[in-house]
Amino acid sequence: MTTPIYYVNDVPHIGHAYTTVTADALARWHRLLGDDVFFLTGTDEHGLKIQRTADANGITPQEQADRTSARFREVWEMLGISNDDFIRTTEPRHITSVQSFMQAIFDNGWIRKGTYSGQYCVPCEAYYNDADLVDGNCPIHNRPVEWLEEDNWFFELSKFEQPLLDWYASNPGCVQPDGKRNEALGIIRQGLEDVSVSRTSISWGVPVPWDEGHVFYVWYDALINYATAVGYGADPERFAEWWPAVHHLIGKDILRFHCVYWPAMCLAAGIEPPHRIGVHGFLLVGGEKMSKTSLNQIFPADLVTDFGVDGFRYHFLRDNPFGPDGDFSYEAMVTRFNTDLANNLGNLLSRVATVVGKKCDGIGPAPSPTSPLAAVSVEAYADTAAAWANMTPSLALEATWRLVREANAHLEINEPWKMEPGPELDAVMGDALEVLRLVSILATPAMPDTCAEVWKRIGLPGTPGEQRLPDAAAWGGYPGGLAVDKGEALFPRMTMPTND
Ligand code: MSP
């Protein structure tokens, strides 16, 4: 499972966090399924953009990279990201891997010399055709492009139109969602031109092994990080163990690189392209993409202070359907927090713990095998699992929360707070505890700490993250006879900010 590697010119904002939290949740879901998971993130440290940022800051590009890469690590740690590795493209392991990867493409005869000139957007690190420009500006950054001309090495992408179409035809689920797959196919069908993969105008890059004085264009260095981290060129056995069972998660702005260039590079190097690429839309603020120049960036720490780590994670996973753009709103975040977390999950735990404390001597009873909630849980599990498999976290959490809501409704119908102690009350409470057990497991990818806390409070040993699906999702796993601890409110309700 991979995230894009982030450019080190900019500190992490909630757009970056959105991608990384989603990848983390997917990695955690796969771990629950018992899959072997290697979860990779990192930083993209070469190229003109970084060189210029460093110049502007009066430091070396390496210093710029060291500082900002550390910021990414800190933020991911704060957000509970469970990555197994953190790759930096300036590491020696990556430099040798890029050189062997590109050398393989060269040796296979897919790289030739040529001259390149065109309109270049430095923030994108990409050339644009005149037709792509909007009023002469970069279509993504809406700022002027620059004319660049250089002698380059070219990758013969044009020869990969048919191999790519064939690969897409035999791997129908490789790009998610379908709309993004069609977009990638559209780009390929329009016709592909050879692309320049080296630069002589800059020095901040990986040297081209067969031609001194050239460095690889940053994208051809960056994409290879995914292969480096699992041993490309250094440890063939390890590489074979993981590749091509790779799931990339990316934003829509880098679709062309991941869904067209990267599979072609893999084919050219003689390896299979990655199995899956999930493409999400942008997180907008006030309808605009976040950027340093628009001064509309929101940083994860600002929101974590108000909502906690799990409140933050839950919001971005639940409120942004994977694929389309989503507009961030603090108000929507408060509403979602109060509805789903304070009123639904938090309330379920607090009601159950209160009644168990008052009427069951604080000992949680076992669920009833014939509970009406059993069927609800089967459906909730099936829908949750299908949604994670489709890389749609918002639908997965929606399905899991149907179970939370049904459990609250079950309590409201039975009103255990008015019942006398006895088997009937025990069944109602046992059923609710069983739902809390199930939800702790199913929501662990989104809210690992909260779920571990719920698990502990209902008296279960270990952690929900250690459970294995699908077995752990079978109704009736809560054994009963465990001490239930009410504790503090999980999610104290938030008040809507006023505009003054
Ligand atoms: N370095 C390249 C990726 C190389 S991967 C081999 C890059 N870096 S980036 O830092 O500019 O962006 C990384 C990811 O963050 C992209 O997937 C991008 O879509 C995502 N996001 C950056 N801003 C975003 C939003 N406002 N919303 C959602 N995702 C955004 O591109």
Side-chain angles (χ1 to χ4, degrees):
M1 181 68 60
T2 72
T3 75
I5 48 171
Y6 300 97
Y7 285 130
V8 290
N9 63 313
D10 207 0
V11 295
H13 57 59
I14 58 172
H16 306 124
Y18 171 51
T19 312
T20 301
V21 166
T22 304
D24 181 64
L26 285 163
R28 287 175 185 270
W29 176 259
H30 281 281
R31 291 193 194 107
L32 283 174
L33 293 178
D35 294 340
D36 283 335
V37 176
F38 182 75
F39 172 27
L40 175 70
T41 188
T43 41
D44 191 354
E45 306 187 352
H46 289 129
L48 192 52
K49 187 190 339 225
I50 310 305
Q51 194 172 312
R52 285 201 182 158
T53 307
D55 290 348
N57 291 337
I59 53 178
T60 65
Q62 188 63 57
E63 280 167 340
Q64 172 71 31
D66 290 348
R67 281 186 199 176
T68 313
S69 183
R71 297 290 300 277
F72 276 93
R73 270 181 200 260
E74 283 160 23
V75 170
W76 300 155
E77 213 168 289
M78 172 186 74
L79 293 178
I81 303 304
S82 62
N83 53 304
D84 296 293
D85 194 356
F86 186 101
I87 190 165
R88 299 185 53 187
T89 54
T90 50
E91 290 174 80
R93 63 168 167 161
H94 182 62
I95 292 166
T96 48
S97 158
V98 168
Q99 290 177 329
S100 6
F101 198 104
M102 295 307 287
Q103 186 74 50
I105 301 183
F106 184 80
D107 293 345
N108 290 340
W110 301 117
I111 288 182
R112 63 167 174 86
K113 202 146 200 187
T115 304
Y116 203 93
S117 56
Q119 307 285 1
Y120 196 77
C121 170
V122 178
C124 287
E125 293 279 18
Y127 279 102
Y128 283 100
N129 296 326
D130 286 343
D132 297 328
L133 301 179
V134 178
D135 300 329
N137 286 340
C138 161
I140 295 193
H141 293 92
N142 192 27
R143 46 173 271 173
V145 287
E146 307 175 24
W147 182 258
L148 279 192
E149 186 171 320
E150 30 179 3
D151 271 345
N152 291 156
W153 288 98
F154 278 74
F155 169 46
E156 294 182 317
L157 183 66
S158 57
K159 307 245 170 83
F160 285 85
E161 267 171 46
Q162 198 51 47
L164 282 173
L165 292 173
D166 294 344
W167 178 69
Y168 269 90
S170 48
N171 294 278
C174 61
V175 174
Q176 299 281 333
D178 280 348
K180 302 293 185 201
R181 178 176 187 273
N182 292 336
E183 210 175 306
L185 280 169
I187 297 174
I188 301 165
R189 289 201 186 107
Q190 258 177 20
L192 299 174
E193 286 176 20
D194 293 349
V195 286
S196 84
V197 296
S198 73
R199 297 278 181 274
T200 48
S201 52
I202 67 163
S203 54
W204 185 237
V206 176
V208 172
W210 63 85
D211 189 356
E212 236 177 88
H214 285 246
V215 295
F216 285 113
Y217 167 40
V218 62
W219 269 101
Y220 297 88
D221 152 358
L223 288 161
I224 297 169
N225 90 85
Y226 304 129
T228 306
V230 288
Y232 184 87
D235 186 345
E237 248 173 63
R238 177 153 179 263
F239 184 72
E241 225 174 87
W242 292 106
W243 205 269
V246 179
H247 290 202
H248 294 317
L249 208 73
I250 60 161
K252 66 175 189 182
D253 51 334
I254 52 178
L255 176 144
R256 173 189 294 267
F257 288 105
H258 283 81
C259 303
V260 181
Y261 295 14
W262 178 228
M265 285 164 68
C266 290
L267 293 171
I271 64 171
E272 217 182 294
H275 276 174
R276 212 134 200 249
I277 307 169
V279 188
H280 63 72
F282 283 148
L283 193 62
L284 306 175
V285 173
E288 270 186 60
K289 190 171 185 254
M290 263 172 289
S291 72
K292 247 204 261 192
T293 41
S294 316
L295 294 176
N296 62 350
Q297 291 179 321
I298 299 174
F299 302 104
D302 301 339
L303 296 173
V304 166
T305 308
D306 294 355
F307 296 89
V309 169
D310 282 351
F312 179 96
R313 294 173 57 107
Y314 183 81
H315 171 78
F316 288 101
L317 292 164
R318 175 65 186 85
D319 261 32
N320 295 283
F322 201 76
D325 287 350
D327 211 1
F328 173 77
S329 124
Y330 191 92
E331 287 72 18
M333 195 167 175
V334 170
T335 304
R336 173 69 67 189
F337 182 93
N338 284 340
T339 315
D340 286 14
L341 303 183
N343 294 355
N344 274 304
L345 181 58
N347 203 16
L348 179 62
L349 176 70
S350 122
R351 282 164 147 183
V352 170
T354 304
V355 177
V356 169
K358 283 192 183 149
K359 304 197 178 201
C360 310
D361 296 327
I363 303 298
S368 144
T370 55
S371 168
L373 290 174
V376 179
S377 79
V378 171
E379 205 176 292
Y381 174 66
D383 293 348
T384 300
W388 283 115
N390 285 334
M391 292 181 152
T392 48
S394 65
L395 299 181
L397 293 168
E398 190 184 317
T400 302
W401 255 253
R402 282 206 293 273
L403 182 56
V404 180
R405 277 198 299 274
E406 288 294 328
N408 272 318
H410 190 62
L411 291 182
E412 272 145 34
I413 292 164
N414 288 285
E415 300 189 302
W417 37 89
K418 293 187 182 161
M419 286 163 85
E420 290 302 319
E424 247 180 84
L425 172 75
D426 284 356
V428 174
M429 297 325 293
D431 293 351
L433 283 159
E434 172 62 355
V435 167
L436 284 168
R437 184 192 71 87
L438 289 166
V439 169
S440 303
I441 302 171
L442 300 183
T444 270
M447 300 196 295
D449 289 348
T450 302
C451 291
E453 179 61 22
V454 173
W455 191 260
K456 200 170 83 192
R457 290 206 200 165
I458 61 174
L460 289 163
T463 65
E466 289 159 9
Q467 311 309 306
R468 287 295 164 263
L469 295 171
D471 292 1
W475 180 261
Y478 187 74
L482 305 176
V484 173
D485 170 22
K486 184 157 187 276
E488 301 272 297
L490 279 185
F491 300 105
R493 267 184 77 82
M494 295 194 50
T495 43
M496 199 57 93
T498 49
N499 278 334
D500 44 53

PDB file of all heavy atoms in Angstrom, residues 135-154:
ATOM      1  N   ASP A 135      -5.670  30.189 -20.919  1.00  0.00           N
ATOM      2  CA  ASP A 135      -5.211  31.581 -21.073  1.00  0.00           C
ATOM      3  C   ASP A 135      -3.693  31.667 -20.926  1.00  0.00           C
ATOM      4  O   ASP A 135      -3.167  32.586 -20.275  1.00  0.00           O
ATOM      5  CB  ASP A 135      -5.860  32.503 -20.028  1.00  0.00           C
ATOM      6  CG  ASP A 135      -7.378  32.514 -20.146  1.00  0.00           C
ATOM      7  OD1 ASP A 135      -7.848  32.340 -21.287  1.00  0.00           O
ATOM      8  OD2 ASP A 135      -8.056  32.669 -19.114  1.00  0.00           O
ATOM      9  N   GLY A 136      -3.008  30.699 -21.478  1.00  0.00           N
ATOM     10  CA  GLY A 136      -1.540  30.713 -21.416  1.00  0.00           C
ATOM     11  C   GLY A 136      -0.967  30.255 -20.090  1.00  0.00           C
ATOM     12  O   GLY A 136       0.250  30.200 -19.912  1.00  0.00           O
ATOM     13  N   ASN A 137      -1.840  29.915 -19.137  1.00  0.00           N
ATOM     14  CA  ASN A 137      -1.366  29.506 -17.804  1.00  0.00           C
ATOM     15  C   ASN A 137      -1.482  28.007 -17.602  1.00  0.00           C
ATOM     16  O   ASN A 137      -2.261  27.333 -18.289  1.00  0.00           O
ATOM     17  CB  ASN A 137      -2.209  30.186 -16.718  1.00  0.00           C
ATOM     18  CG  ASN A 137      -1.862  31.651 -16.584  1.00  0.00           C
ATOM     19  OD1 ASN A 137      -0.787  32.091 -16.996  1.00  0.00           O
ATOM     20  ND2 ASN A 137      -2.788  32.410 -16.021  1.00  0.00           N
ATOM     21  N   CYS A 138      -0.730  27.507 -16.617  1.00  0.00           N
ATOM     22  CA  CYS A 138      -0.840  26.100 -16.241  1.00  0.00           C
ATOM     23  C   CYS A 138      -2.265  25.806 -15.804  1.00  0.00           C
ATOM     24  O   CYS A 138      -2.839  26.566 -15.013  1.00  0.00           O
ATOM     25  CB  CYS A 138       0.133  25.810 -15.094  1.00  0.00           C
ATOM     26  SG  CYS A 138      -0.302  24.308 -14.208  1.00  0.00           S
ATOM     27  N   PRO A 139      -2.875  24.714 -16.322  1.00  0.00           N
ATOM     28  CA  PRO A 139      -4.281  24.420 -15.981  1.00  0.00           C
ATOM     29  C   PRO A 139      -4.463  24.057 -14.509  1.00  0.00           C
ATOM     30  O   PRO A 139      -5.564  24.171 -13.986  1.00  0.00           O
ATOM     31  CB  PRO A 139      -4.622  23.229 -16.874  1.00  0.00           C
ATOM     32  CG  PRO A 139      -3.307  22.618 -17.244  1.00  0.00           C
ATOM     33  CD  PRO A 139      -2.307  23.735 -17.241  1.00  0.00           C
ATOM     34  N   ILE A 140      -3.395  23.623 -13.838  1.00  0.00           N
ATOM     35  CA  ILE A 140      -3.547  23.244 -12.433  1.00  0.00           C
ATOM     36  C   ILE A 140      -3.228  24.409 -11.508  1.00  0.00           C
ATOM     37  O   ILE A 140      -3.964  24.693 -10.568  1.00  0.00           O
ATOM     38  CB  ILE A 140      -2.672  22.018 -12.103  1.00  0.00           C
ATOM     39  CG1 ILE A 140      -3.221  20.831 -12.913  1.00  0.00           C
ATOM     40  CG2 ILE A 140      -2.649  21.727 -10.596  1.00  0.00           C
ATOM     41  CD1 ILE A 140      -2.740  19.490 -12.550  1.00  0.00           C
ATOM     42  N   HIS A 141      -2.147  25.110 -11.807  1.00  0.00           N
ATOM     43  CA  HIS A 141      -1.719  26.179 -10.883  1.00  0.00           C
ATOM     44  C   HIS A 141      -2.170  27.562 -11.297  1.00  0.00           C
ATOM     45  O   HIS A 141      -1.982  28.525 -10.558  1.00  0.00           O
ATOM     46  CB  HIS A 141      -0.198  26.142 -10.703  1.00  0.00           C
ATOM     47  CG  HIS A 141       0.254  24.914  -9.992  1.00  0.00           C
ATOM     48  ND1 HIS A 141       0.630  23.763 -10.651  1.00  0.00           N
ATOM     49  CD2 HIS A 141       0.327  24.634  -8.668  1.00  0.00           C
ATOM     50  CE1 HIS A 141       0.944  22.835  -9.768  1.00  0.00           C
ATOM     51  NE2 HIS A 141       0.764  23.327  -8.568  1.00  0.00           N
ATOM     52  N   ASN A 142      -2.733  27.658 -12.502  1.00  0.00           N
ATOM     53  CA  ASN A 142      -3.220  28.939 -12.999  1.00  0.00           C
ATOM     54  C   ASN A 142      -2.136  30.017 -12.895  1.00  0.00           C
ATOM     55  O   ASN A 142      -2.407  31.118 -12.413  1.00  0.00           O
ATOM     56  CB  ASN A 142      -4.487  29.338 -12.234  1.00  0.00           C
ATOM     57  CG  ASN A 142      -5.184  30.509 -12.903  1.00  0.00           C
ATOM     58  OD1 ASN A 142      -5.032  30.683 -14.123  1.00  0.00           O
ATOM     59  ND2 ASN A 142      -5.898  31.318 -12.128  1.00  0.00           N
ATOM     60  N   ARG A 143      -0.925  29.661 -13.293  1.00  0.00           N
ATOM     61  CA  ARG A 143       0.141  30.658 -13.303  1.00  0.00           C
ATOM     62  C   ARG A 143       1.002  30.438 -14.541  1.00  0.00           C
ATOM     63  O   ARG A 143       0.965  29.363 -15.152  1.00  0.00           O
ATOM     64  CB  ARG A 143       0.974  30.608 -12.015  1.00  0.00           C
ATOM     65  CG  ARG A 143       1.382  29.200 -11.592  1.00  0.00           C
ATOM     66  CD  ARG A 143       2.316  29.247 -10.430  1.00  0.00           C
ATOM     67  NE  ARG A 143       3.686  29.339 -10.923  1.00  0.00           N
ATOM     68  CZ  ARG A 143       4.742  29.524 -10.150  1.00  0.00           C
ATOM     69  NH1 ARG A 143       4.591  29.652  -8.853  1.00  0.00           N
ATOM     70  NH2 ARG A 143       5.968  29.567 -10.664  1.00  0.00           N
ATOM     71  N   PRO A 144       1.780  31.445 -14.921  1.00  0.00           N
ATOM     72  CA  PRO A 144       2.500  31.353 -16.195  1.00  0.00           C
ATOM     73  C   PRO A 144       3.467  30.168 -16.248  1.00  0.00           C
ATOM     74  O   PRO A 144       4.049  29.791 -15.233  1.00  0.00           O
ATOM     75  CB  PRO A 144       3.285  32.665 -16.253  1.00  0.00           C
ATOM     76  CG  PRO A 144       2.611  33.581 -15.295  1.00  0.00           C
ATOM     77  CD  PRO A 144       1.987  32.726 -14.234  1.00  0.00           C
ATOM     78  N   VAL A 145       3.590  29.605 -17.439  1.00  0.00           N
ATOM     79  CA  VAL A 145       4.545  28.518 -17.660  1.00  0.00           C
ATOM     80  C   VAL A 145       5.832  29.136 -18.234  1.00  0.00           C
ATOM     81  O   VAL A 145       5.845  30.307 -18.586  1.00  0.00           O
ATOM     82  CB  VAL A 145       3.960  27.480 -18.644  1.00  0.00           C
ATOM     83  CG1 VAL A 145       2.882  26.661 -17.967  1.00  0.00           C
ATOM     84  CG2 VAL A 145       3.410  28.160 -19.888  1.00  0.00           C
ATOM     85  N   GLU A 146       6.905  28.334 -18.329  1.00  0.00           N
ATOM     86  CA  GLU A 146       8.167  28.867 -18.850  1.00  0.00           C
ATOM     87  C   GLU A 146       8.587  28.059 -20.061  1.00  0.00           C
ATOM     88  O   GLU A 146       8.356  26.857 -20.110  1.00  0.00           O
ATOM     89  CB  GLU A 146       9.301  28.714 -17.821  1.00  0.00           C
ATOM     90  CG  GLU A 146       9.000  29.265 -16.475  1.00  0.00           C
ATOM     91  CD  GLU A 146      10.130  28.968 -15.483  1.00  0.00           C
ATOM     92  OE1 GLU A 146      11.290  28.763 -15.896  1.00  0.00           O
ATOM     93  OE2 GLU A 146       9.812  28.931 -14.284  1.00  0.00           O
ATOM     94  N   TRP A 147       9.239  28.719 -21.000  1.00  0.00           N
ATOM     95  CA  TRP A 147       9.749  28.016 -22.177  1.00  0.00           C
ATOM     96  C   TRP A 147      11.068  27.338 -21.813  1.00  0.00           C
ATOM     97  O   TRP A 147      11.978  27.978 -21.323  1.00  0.00           O
ATOM     98  CB  TRP A 147       9.947  29.011 -23.316  1.00  0.00           C
ATOM     99  CG  TRP A 147      10.419  28.348 -24.574  1.00  0.00           C
ATOM    100  CD1 TRP A 147      11.701  28.329 -25.057  1.00  0.00           C
ATOM    101  CD2 TRP A 147       9.616  27.619 -25.484  1.00  0.00           C
ATOM    102  NE1 TRP A 147      11.756  27.620 -26.210  1.00  0.00           N
ATOM    103  CE2 TRP A 147      10.484  27.166 -26.515  1.00  0.00           C
ATOM    104  CE3 TRP A 147       8.267  27.280 -25.567  1.00  0.00           C
ATOM    105  CZ2 TRP A 147      10.031  26.410 -27.584  1.00  0.00           C
ATOM    106  CZ3 TRP A 147       7.825  26.532 -26.640  1.00  0.00           C
ATOM    107  CH2 TRP A 147       8.701  26.097 -27.631  1.00  0.00           C
ATOM    108  N   LEU A 148      11.155  26.023 -21.995  1.00  0.00           N
ATOM    109  CA  LEU A 148      12.397  25.304 -21.706  1.00  0.00           C
ATOM    110  C   LEU A 148      12.817  24.536 -22.951  1.00  0.00           C
ATOM    111  O   LEU A 148      11.979  24.009 -23.676  1.00  0.00           O
ATOM    112  CB  LEU A 148      12.193  24.288 -20.575  1.00  0.00           C
ATOM    113  CG  LEU A 148      12.219  24.734 -19.104  1.00  0.00           C
ATOM    114  CD1 LEU A 148      12.279  23.518 -18.197  1.00  0.00           C
ATOM    115  CD2 LEU A 148      13.410  25.635 -18.822  1.00  0.00           C
ATOM    116  N   GLU A 149      14.107  24.501 -23.182  1.00  0.00           N
ATOM    117  CA  GLU A 149      14.615  23.742 -24.339  1.00  0.00           C
ATOM    118  C   GLU A 149      15.886  23.022 -23.919  1.00  0.00           C
ATOM    119  O   GLU A 149      16.772  23.636 -23.336  1.00  0.00           O
ATOM    120  CB  GLU A 149      14.903  24.716 -25.479  1.00  0.00           C
ATOM    121  CG  GLU A 149      15.288  24.009 -26.752  1.00  0.00           C
ATOM    122  CD  GLU A 149      15.349  24.967 -27.941  1.00  0.00           C
ATOM    123  OE1 GLU A 149      14.489  25.854 -28.052  1.00  0.00           O
ATOM    124  OE2 GLU A 149      16.290  24.814 -28.731  1.00  0.00           O
ATOM    125  N   GLU A 150      15.953  21.726 -24.128  1.00  0.00           N
ATOM    126  CA  GLU A 150      17.190  21.014 -23.764  1.00  0.00           C
ATOM    127  C   GLU A 150      17.368  19.711 -24.537  1.00  0.00           C
ATOM    128  O   GLU A 150      16.413  19.171 -25.087  1.00  0.00           O
ATOM    129  CB  GLU A 150      17.270  20.735 -22.256  1.00  0.00           C
ATOM    130  CG  GLU A 150      15.978  20.551 -21.551  1.00  0.00           C
ATOM    131  CD  GLU A 150      16.129  20.246 -20.058  1.00  0.00           C
ATOM    132  OE1 GLU A 150      17.245  20.219 -19.521  1.00  0.00           O
ATOM    133  OE2 GLU A 150      15.085  19.994 -19.449  1.00  0.00           O
ATOM    134  N   ASP A 151      18.592  19.250 -24.566  1.00  0.00           N
ATOM    135  CA  ASP A 151      18.904  17.931 -25.114  1.00  0.00           C
ATOM    136  C   ASP A 151      18.593  16.915 -24.035  1.00  0.00           C
ATOM    137  O   ASP A 151      19.138  17.003 -22.933  1.00  0.00           O
ATOM    138  CB  ASP A 151      20.403  17.830 -25.433  1.00  0.00           C
ATOM    139  CG  ASP A 151      20.694  18.307 -26.829  1.00  0.00           C
ATOM    140  OD1 ASP A 151      19.724  18.431 -27.607  1.00  0.00           O
ATOM    141  OD2 ASP A 151      21.878  18.566 -27.131  1.00  0.00           O
ATOM    142  N   ASN A 152      17.758  16.000 -24.358  1.00  0.00           N
ATOM    143  CA  ASN A 152      17.308  15.051 -23.337  1.00  0.00           C
ATOM    144  C   ASN A 152      17.381  13.630 -23.839  1.00  0.00           C
ATOM    145  O   ASN A 152      17.442  13.381 -25.041  1.00  0.00           O
ATOM    146  CB  ASN A 152      15.816  15.283 -23.009  1.00  0.00           C
ATOM    147  CG  ASN A 152      15.558  16.585 -22.285  1.00  0.00           C
ATOM    148  OD1 ASN A 152      14.465  17.092 -22.352  1.00  0.00           O
ATOM    149  ND2 ASN A 152      16.545  17.106 -21.610  1.00  0.00           N
ATOM    150  N   TRP A 153      17.295  12.740 -22.895  1.00  0.00           N
ATOM    151  CA  TRP A 153      17.011  11.350 -23.240  1.00  0.00           C
ATOM    152  C   TRP A 153      15.500  11.178 -23.208  1.00  0.00           C
ATOM    153  O   TRP A 153      14.824  11.709 -22.327  1.00  0.00           O
ATOM    154  CB  TRP A 153      17.681  10.413 -22.243  1.00  0.00           C
ATOM    155  CG  TRP A 153      19.174  10.389 -22.435  1.00  0.00           C
ATOM    156  CD1 TRP A 153      20.100  11.093 -21.728  1.00  0.00           C
ATOM    157  CD2 TRP A 153      19.883   9.657 -23.425  1.00  0.00           C
ATOM    158  NE1 TRP A 153      21.356  10.848 -22.204  1.00  0.00           N
ATOM    159  CE2 TRP A 153      21.254   9.956 -23.252  1.00  0.00           C
ATOM    160  CE3 TRP A 153      19.512   8.775 -24.440  1.00  0.00           C
ATOM    161  CZ2 TRP A 153      22.251   9.406 -24.060  1.00  0.00           C
ATOM    162  CZ3 TRP A 153      20.499   8.221 -25.240  1.00  0.00           C
ATOM    163  CH2 TRP A 153      21.848   8.535 -25.051  1.00  0.00           C
ATOM    164  N   PHE A 154      14.990  10.457 -24.199  1.00  0.00           N
ATOM    165  CA  PHE A 154      13.539  10.259 -24.320  1.00  0.00           C
ATOM    166  C   PHE A 154      13.149   8.803 -24.086  1.00  0.00           C
ATOM    167  O   PHE A 154      13.793   7.889 -24.615  1.00  0.00           O
ATOM    168  CB  PHE A 154      13.073  10.650 -25.735  1.00  0.00           C
ATOM    169  CG  PHE A 154      12.862  12.121 -25.870  1.00  0.00           C
ATOM    170  CD1 PHE A 154      13.956  12.980 -25.949  1.00  0.00           C
ATOM    171  CD2 PHE A 154      11.586  12.650 -25.905  1.00  0.00           C
ATOM    172  CE1 PHE A 154      13.764  14.348 -26.046  1.00  0.00           C
ATOM    173  CE2 PHE A 154      11.393  14.008 -26.007  1.00  0.00           C
ATOM    174  CZ  PHE A 154      12.483  14.871 -26.080  1.00  0.00           C
TER     175      PHE A 154
END
